[in-house]
């Protein structure tokens, strides 16, 4: 349940029955205290300060009064749907097509929600296990960020979409391997680089193509935070990986390769088609369309625009890793500038704020002007 109210249980919204009990991940490794309280790395402390300065309240910053059509959440053309224009699409009624739009949006935002809870737990794990105090400081601000993001997506699903999906098996597998590893750097690598990197790119694509104001606000404001989180992972791992042996680096590369394939397969969303009342043959037909869709191929490629350059930046860039990215068709993403993308994320969020505040000020000014005019016509002085 999101903070601020609401009586609908999320379990009532799930298309597929979700486990009523909690999902318990057995964690290994030590909780590390440090008695060094002197100043840490300037770059990390600057990021920590920014994390404190940029805290926000989703109840106040987001305009929840904006209406959302659950059958047209993002306001994008049907040409982006994998089965659009196929015989399967043509056989569908208008109602079935509306359900396709609804389920696709519900599935996507549900995975965002589950990923944010995973990020909250991983960042709390980093606070516990990382040896450096400056990293603990920043990870503590990130834990609060992720709680806010989970709250925001939960409210959006409950209030505006009204439908939810359980966590995707591929995302669940990556979270499991990330959290159960005893090495303190693995939550960084699994969450900050892979899961956060993929989510950040997905948020960016959707933020840039949506024509609807509420999801645009949510995605832009969440991205403003997430860009800092990826920067945090880059900073910490780049320093640490410089001193690892070839064997240790190879183990991390194995984790990255497996994780990237899991993330790529997660994007297929097979469970959405299985819950639309389609026959097995029609589900298979839909999945063939998903795999052939030029739009989705481009979408998947763009989703690695944050991961590939980050992996290269932290020092994991052997020929075998490059070969894996070439196999996925995303090797050319290595040339992306993460700093430029992060600056763009900041700028878009701040511009949205400025536009909203300017509109609110104009509406307030018009209201005051109208009050004065009405008072003048009635022959009485306006009341303060």
């Amino acid at each position: 349940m999101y903070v601020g109210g609401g009586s609908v249980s999320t379990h009532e919204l799930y298309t597929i029955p979700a486990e009523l009990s909690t999902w318990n991940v057995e964690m290994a490794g030590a909780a590390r205290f440090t008695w060094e309280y002197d100043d840490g790395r300037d770059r990390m402390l600057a990021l920590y300060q920014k994390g404190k300065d940029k805290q926000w309240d989703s109840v106040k910053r987001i305009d929840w009064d904006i209406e959302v059509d659950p059958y047209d959440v993002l306001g994008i053309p049907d040409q982006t749907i994998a089965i659009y224009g196929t015989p399967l699409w043509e056989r569908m009624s208008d109602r079935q097509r509306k359900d396709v739009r609804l389920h696709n949006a519900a599935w996507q935002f549900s995975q965002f929600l589950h990923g944010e809870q995973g990020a909250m737990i991983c960042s709390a794990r980093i606070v516990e296990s990382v040896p450096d105090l400056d990293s603990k400081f920043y990870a503590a601000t990130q834990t609060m960020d992720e709680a806010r993001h989970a709250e925001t997506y939960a409210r959006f699903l409950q209030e505006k979409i009204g439908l939810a999906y359980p966590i995707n098996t591929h995302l669940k597998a990556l979270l499991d391997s990330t959290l159960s590893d005893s090495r303190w750097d693995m939550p960084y690598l699994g969450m900050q680089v892979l899961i956060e990197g993929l989510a950040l790119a997905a948020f960016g694509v959707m933020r840039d193509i949506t024509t609807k104001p509420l999801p645009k606000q949510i995605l832009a404001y969440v991205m403003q935070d997430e860009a800092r989180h990826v920067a945090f992972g880059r900073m910490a791992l780049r320093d640490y990986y410089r001193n690892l042996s070839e064997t240790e680096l190879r183990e991390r590369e194995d984790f990255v390769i497996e994780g990237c394939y899991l993330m790529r397969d997660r994007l297929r969303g097979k469970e959405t088609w299985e819950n639309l009342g389609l026959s097995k043959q029609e589900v298979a037909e839909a999945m063939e369309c998903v795999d052939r869709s030029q739009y989705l191929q481009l979408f998947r490629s763009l989703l690695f625009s944050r991961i590939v350059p980050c992996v290269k930046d932290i020092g994991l860039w052997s020929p075998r890793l490059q070969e894996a990215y070439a196999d996925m068709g995303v090797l050319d993403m290595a040339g992306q500038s993460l700093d430029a993308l992060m600056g763009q994320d900041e700028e878009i969020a701040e511009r949205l704020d400025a536009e909203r505040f300017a509109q609110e000020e104009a509406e307030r000014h018009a209201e005051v002007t109208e009050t004065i005019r009405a008072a003048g016509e009635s022959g009485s002085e306006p009341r303060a």
Side-chain angles (χ1 to χ4, degrees):
M1 181 184 297
Y2 66 87
V3 176
S7 58
V8 176
S9 166
T10 307
H11 283 280
E12 297 175 28
L13 305 181
Y14 282 128
T15 57
I16 308 168
E19 299 173 1
L20 289 173
S21 61
T22 56
W23 173 41
N24 300 324
V25 179
E26 297 296 327
M27 299 186 190
R32 294 175 174 85
F33 286 78
T34 177
W35 311 125
E36 178 55 79
Y37 294 103
D38 289 340
D39 288 345
R41 292 161 287 186
D42 290 342
R43 295 170 302 152
M44 189 68 77
L45 292 174
L47 198 63
Y48 169 54
Q49 183 62 48
K50 193 171 186 179
K52 291 189 292 181
D53 292 340
K54 294 292 186 178
Q55 293 292 318
W56 50 278
D57 186 345
S58 69
V59 174
K60 298 176 180 178
R61 193 182 189 191
I62 294 171
D63 186 359
W64 291 104
D65 291 333
I66 297 174
E67 294 295 328
V68 173
D69 180 355
Y71 297 104
D72 188 23
V73 173
L74 295 176
I76 56 178
D78 286 341
Q79 284 85 342
T80 60
I81 299 173
I83 65 170
Y84 177 82
T86 66
L88 176 58
W89 176 263
E90 297 302 328
R91 291 197 303 270
M92 286 184 169
S93 65
D94 287 342
R95 177 68 202 187
Q96 286 175 309
R97 292 175 182 176
K98 290 176 68 175
D99 284 341
V100 168
R101 300 183 195 105
L102 169 64
H103 281 255
N104 280 342
W107 180 85
Q108 189 67 266
F109 280 94
S110 294
Q111 302 319 309
F112 290 168
L113 168 60
H114 302 315
E116 296 296 349
Q117 183 182 176
M120 178 176 65
I121 292 171
C122 283
S123 52
R125 177 70 169 148
I126 290 171
V127 174
E128 177 187 53
S129 63
V130 70
D132 308 303
L133 191 65
D134 53 4
S135 293
K136 290 180 184 291
F137 283 167
Y138 180 76
T141 69
Q142 181 179 341
T143 305
M144 182 59 206
D145 288 345
E146 307 297 5
R148 179 171 58 249
H149 300 169
E151 170 199 346
T152 300
Y153 282 127
R155 181 171 183 177
F156 186 68
L157 281 164
Q158 291 174 335
E159 283 192 0
K160 304 300 183 179
I161 297 182
L163 191 70
Y165 274 82
I167 187 170
N168 176 267
T169 55
H170 301 294
L171 175 58
K172 190 174 184 181
L174 183 53
L175 276 171
D176 196 351
S177 59
T178 297
L179 286 167
S180 59
D181 198 296
S182 63
R183 294 166 291 188
W184 68 261
D185 64 297
M186 298 312 281
Y188 279 103
L189 190 57
M191 178 52 66
Q192 310 289 79
V193 176
L194 299 185
I195 298 176
E196 292 271 64
L198 189 84
L200 191 55
F203 298 165
V205 172
M206 295 175 70
R207 175 200 64 191
D208 294 341
I209 65 174
T210 183
T211 59
K212 302 296 185 178
L214 184 56
K216 194 176 192 72
Q217 282 182 28
I218 291 172
L219 293 162
Y221 296 155
V222 169
M223 285 188 72
Q224 191 176 28
D225 294 339
E226 300 290 9
R228 293 194 307 274
H229 304 165
V230 174
F232 172 45
R234 286 170 63 200
M235 200 178 298
L237 295 181
R238 189 168 50 209
D239 292 344
Y240 180 59
Y241 286 175
R242 287 193 187 105
N243 302 312
L244 293 187
S245 67
E246 288 188 14
T247 300
E248 290 171 322
L249 288 173
R250 186 181 179 88
E251 290 171 352
R252 271 73 178 176
E253 288 179 345
D254 288 340
F255 181 87
V256 167
I257 292 171
E258 180 182 357
C260 284
Y261 277 114
L262 281 171
M263 290 293 91
R264 185 194 65 173
D265 292 340
R266 177 183 81 81
L267 299 171
R268 300 177 76 234
K270 184 179 180 182
E271 55 267 47
T272 60
W273 303 103
E274 292 174 334
N275 284 277
L276 284 166
L278 303 179
S279 67
K280 288 185 178 180
Q281 181 179 345
E282 287 174 327
V283 170
E285 188 178 344
M287 293 312 299
E288 288 178 6
C289 294
V290 168
D291 293 334
R292 291 197 310 264
S293 168
Q294 291 185 348
Y295 170 79
L296 289 181
Q297 287 173 8
L298 175 61
F299 184 67
R300 292 190 195 101
S301 177
L302 290 173
L303 293 186
F304 283 87
S305 63
R306 309 276 181 140
I307 294 178
V308 177
C310 188
V311 168
K312 182 179 180 181
D313 183 67
I314 63 178
L316 301 180
W317 201 241
S318 69
R320 57 193 292 272
L321 187 53
Q322 294 179 51
E323 183 180 344
Y325 282 142
D327 177 59
M328 296 179 207
V330 297
L331 182 61
D332 59 344
M333 292 294 174
Q336 292 283 338
S337 170
L338 290 172
D339 292 331
L341 291 169
M342 181 176 172
Q344 183 184 59
D345 297 336
E346 287 274 2
E347 180 185 339
I348 291 173
E350 290 170 0
R351 187 169 68 243
L352 273 180
D353 274 341
E355 291 170 355
R356 282 188 60 208
F357 294 150
Q359 180 181 354
E360 289 171 4
E361 182 66 23
E363 290 172 353
R364 175 60 181 157
H365 179 74
E367 180 183 346
V368 171
T369 300
E370 175 60 22
T371 301
I372 293 173
R373 186 196 64 76
E377 289 179 356
S378 66
S380 62
E381 293 295 323
R383 298 176 63 182

